[in-house]
Amino acid sequence: MGFSDKADAFPRRKCLASMFGARYDGVSVDEKSLILEAQRGDLEAFNRLVIAYQRQVYNLAYRLMGDQASAEDATQEAFVSAFRGLRGYRGGSFRAWLLRIVRNACYDEFRRRQRRPTTSLEELSPFNGDATPDSIGELIDKADGPETATENAELRRAIEDCLNELPLDYRTIAVLVDIQGYDYREAATVIGKPLGTVKSRLARARARLRDCLQQYRELLPSAFRLEDETRK
Amino acid sequence: MTKGSKLSNRDLERLSAYLDGALSEGEASRLEARLHEEPTLQQALQELKETTQMVASLPEVPLPRSFTLTPEDVGTRERPRVYPVLRLATALATFAFFAVVGIDAITSFALRGALAPMTKEQVAMEAPAPAADAVATGEVPAEGLELEEYEVEHEGVSASEIPAFAAEAENEMDRAAPSGVLGLTEETEPLLPEEGKTEAPELLGTPTPVVSGTAVSEEAVAVDEAEPEATATAEIGPTSPPTLTPTSVPMSRALRPEHRSILRVVEFGLGGLTLLLAGLTIWIARKG
């Protein structure tokens, strides 16, 4: 393996970076003016910001919460909190500010769940039994053949299981950097920690994911073997 | 995989940061040198890279719905665009209402203060109409003419004229009262000078109370216009026929009631408009 192909190893990151530019969902975002209008109470202006960022916010919530219903609740709560607390926004990355709010909403929900004695650990796991079929089904690429689709679904389910097993702090940073493609600085803003913390948490998260996926590698050998063979 | 787990946390962080291009040039070159020499480190890097690629392969989750907020979501209801206009109109109407009320109060107070010295004069002026009617019918007793007031009112008139005027008027009254019939010529003189004398302090330029206000100014103008005739009347004395008619008395009398009635109408109108606009604004705000 050459050591100069780091950028090529993260085409998704480059793709995401281009997506988060001035245009998103075909909507031209004059972010500053929209934020100023929204700070004056203009809900319509705020909703344009919601349209621009809802996908990223929801995806973070989904990856942290693990199920659609909880992610929807957290996303909705985050946007409502963001609108009400918009006067507290003091510049910087608005996206990071929004993501931090939804991250906090997810953390609050987890704390609430932990306080509920009747909630079992299985219920907390977003990818167990009944909770997963819909979400996994959404992830299957219908264009592939049935076998490939099944393998992909199993692999994705395995990755999601491993993600879910991570401590919340590690999961958050892995989702932000490895799934959503944010750089360390923006991830640090979202979690409200210094860059060093981001680096160490990310390294530990990746190490845990690697160990976890090794288990599934035996269970789902074809996908990994094919990937290994093509890489070699 | 087991080899990677033997890595120190420090090396793990370096490899992770190296994958993301987050190492400085010096750190990166040192790590690359180690990677060439240490196969375990290279294996660990490869495993981390595969792991990150697998995690990054998770697709973006489609949105189940739009998360745009409604006014109910954020606890506020959007108000119709006419709301700010109505609010401004209500404020302006309220301001105008209080302004008009204030102007009315100020002018009323000023007029009252200015006309206070003329109060008794006004009372006396009220008398001629019924008095004249009564006199015409001869049913008015002499006591109804209030000669005491008549004397008091004319303190401002020149000393040389008033005593004679008052005395003559008193005599005339004494003469007229027993007869019970007052003619419109000689017999009515005691009454007619009363009107003339009412204006006397002003007509003769004797000291008059300081009066502010437009009505008084108009009065002064009217008096100025009537001055030659009135002066002549005063010079002629109480025996001359009256030259001042009720229509030539101070304009403040003739115009002030009209002004007041207009002010009242404006006040009521503005008050009603304010209430209407305020009610409408509140209704729209609540209905929102």
Side-chain angles (χ1 to χ4, degrees):
Chain A
M1 171 192 173
F3 301 119
S4 60
D5 59 345
K6 293 189 289 290
D8 296 337
F10 301 97
R12 178 179 175 77
R13 183 166 303 157
K14 288 162 71 178
C15 175
L16 287 171
S18 64
M19 253 169 60
F20 298 150
R23 283 186 171 271
Y24 192 84
D25 286 348
V27 179
S28 177
V29 181
D30 187 5
E31 199 172 273
K32 276 190 178 178
S33 61
L34 285 177
I35 291 170
L36 283 174
E37 289 172 22
Q39 282 177 327
R40 294 189 202 107
D42 188 341
L43 190 57
E44 193 178 336
F46 184 78
N47 277 335
R48 289 182 65 189
L49 293 166
V50 171
I51 290 169
Y53 290 112
Q54 61 182 350
R55 190 170 293 179
Q56 299 160 62
V57 171
Y58 174 74
N59 268 268
L60 177 59
Y62 181 84
R63 293 298 176 202
L64 293 183
M65 301 304 297
D67 68 280
Q68 181 177 320
S70 300
E72 278 188 53
D73 291 345
T75 304
Q76 184 76 15
E77 186 183 330
F79 279 126
V80 171
S81 299
F83 182 76
R84 288 176 178 163
L86 200 55
R87 291 178 190 276
Y89 170 70
R90 296 281 182 256
S93 169
F94 185 70
R95 178 178 64 180
W97 185 75
L98 277 178
L99 291 173
R100 183 170 186 169
I101 291 174
V102 74
R103 174 251 188 200
N104 290 339
C106 293
Y107 274 49
D108 289 344
E109 177 58 25
F110 274 109
R111 287 192 199 100
R112 276 195 292 270
R113 289 182 182 183
Q114 284 174 351
R115 283 197 293 268
R116 289 178 204 158
T118 54
T119 305
S120 68
L121 288 175
E122 276 196 354
E123 286 173 327
L124 287 175
S125 174
F127 304 112
N128 64 60
D130 298 336
T132 50
D134 288 343
S135 57
I136 292 297
E138 290 169 359
L139 301 180
I140 295 174
D141 186 356
K142 303 291 184 185
D144 293 336
E147 288 184 11
T148 309
T150 305
E151 288 173 357
N152 286 341
E154 289 174 346
L155 175 59
R156 289 167 189 169
R157 184 169 179 169
I159 297 168
E160 287 177 337
D161 277 345
C162 288
L163 265 178
N164 190 53
E165 288 177 11
L166 289 176
L168 194 54
D169 287 339
Y170 290 1
R171 193 189 319 166
T172 304
I173 207 69
V175 170
L176 288 172
V177 177
D178 284 341
I179 297 180
Q180 299 199 303
Y182 302 140
D183 60 24
Y184 287 8
R185 194 170 300 278
E186 193 159 15
T189 306
V190 173
I191 67 169
K193 298 289 181 185
L195 278 176
T197 305
V198 171
K199 287 181 183 178
S200 62
R201 282 186 184 177
L202 183 60
R204 286 167 175 75
R206 284 170 172 171
R208 291 199 184 200
L209 283 169
R210 175 197 61 194
D211 295 342
C212 176
L213 286 171
Q214 191 60 31
Q215 303 168 17
Y216 289 101
R217 195 174 207 167
E218 294 167 0
L219 294 172
L220 308 167
S222 57
F224 286 95
R225 282 172 189 165
L226 281 172
E227 205 169 344
D228 282 345
E229 285 168 6
T230 53
R231 194 172 289 126
K232 288 172 183 176
Chain B
M1 190 62 68
T2 52
K3 292 174 184 175
S5 61
K6 292 177 181 175
L7 288 174
S8 67
N9 287 335
R10 187 75 177 162
D11 283 341
L12 189 65
E13 284 182 27
R14 284 197 188 101
L15 289 175
S16 176
Y18 179 73
L19 279 176
D20 297 329
L23 287 181
S24 65
E25 282 189 17
E27 285 177 320
S29 58
R30 281 196 293 275
L31 184 63
E32 284 177 5
R34 284 184 63 196
L35 285 169
H36 283 295
E37 295 171 0
E38 300 177 33
T40 54
L41 201 63
Q42 188 177 338
Q43 177 67 22
L45 178 68
Q46 181 63 21
E47 289 169 355
L48 278 180
K49 185 176 178 181
E50 287 175 10
T51 302
T52 54
Q53 282 178 331
M54 279 193 285
V55 173
S57 71
L58 285 175
E60 191 176 65
V61 185
L63 283 175
R65 63 180 176 87
S66 174
F67 289 97
T68 51
L69 303 179
T70 62
E72 288 74 22
D73 291 333
V74 294
T76 60
R77 288 172 296 185
E78 278 186 324
R79 289 166 174 149
R81 293 188 176 182
V82 73
Y83 176 75
V85 177
L86 271 176
R87 200 169 55 175
L88 178 65
T90 306
L92 289 176
T94 307
F95 177 77
F97 172 71
F98 281 108
V100 171
V101 170
I103 289 170
D104 185 23
I106 289 169
T107 52
S108 298
F109 179 77
L111 282 172
R112 194 172 300 142
L115 296 174
M118 299 175 66
T119 304
K120 298 197 174 182
E121 184 179 347
Q122 289 174 2
V123 172
M125 288 296 289
E126 302 279 338
D133 294 341
V135 164
T137 57
E139 294 172 355
V140 177
E143 290 79 9
L145 295 176
E146 300 287 348
L147 290 178
E148 290 179 5
E149 287 184 12
Y150 179 82
E151 290 174 0
V152 172
E153 289 164 14
H154 294 81
E155 287 175 0
V157 182
S158 63
S160 60
E161 292 178 24
I162 291 178
F165 179 85
E168 194 165 346
E170 199 169 343
N171 292 334
E172 290 291 334
M173 292 296 291
D174 290 339
R175 279 195 306 239
S179 65
V181 177
L182 293 175
L184 292 176
T185 55
E186 295 288 325
E187 286 78 10
T188 55
E189 283 176 2
L191 291 177
L192 294 171
E194 189 177 354
E195 285 187 351
K197 288 174 79 66
T198 302
E199 299 300 322
E202 295 168 6
L203 298 176
L204 297 175
T206 52
T208 57
V210 178
V211 178
S212 61
T214 54
V216 175
S217 301
E218 290 168 358
E219 183 178 356
V221 171
V223 168
D224 289 340
E225 290 172 353
E227 188 171 2
E229 191 178 3
T231 306
T233 303
E235 287 171 353
I236 289 168
T239 55
S240 63
T243 55
L244 290 178
T245 62
T247 55
S248 63
V249 295
M251 287 188 68
S252 60
R253 291 218 170 166
L255 298 179
R256 210 175 345 127
E258 293 176 8
H259 289 168
R260 282 188 174 176
S261 64
I262 291 171
L263 273 176
R264 292 284 181 276
V265 170
V266 172
E267 283 171 20
F268 279 114
L270 282 173
L273 182 65
T274 304
L275 289 175
L276 181 68
L277 284 171
L280 196 58
T281 306
I282 293 169
W283 180 71
I284 284 180
R286 286 184 177 174
K287 189 181 176 185

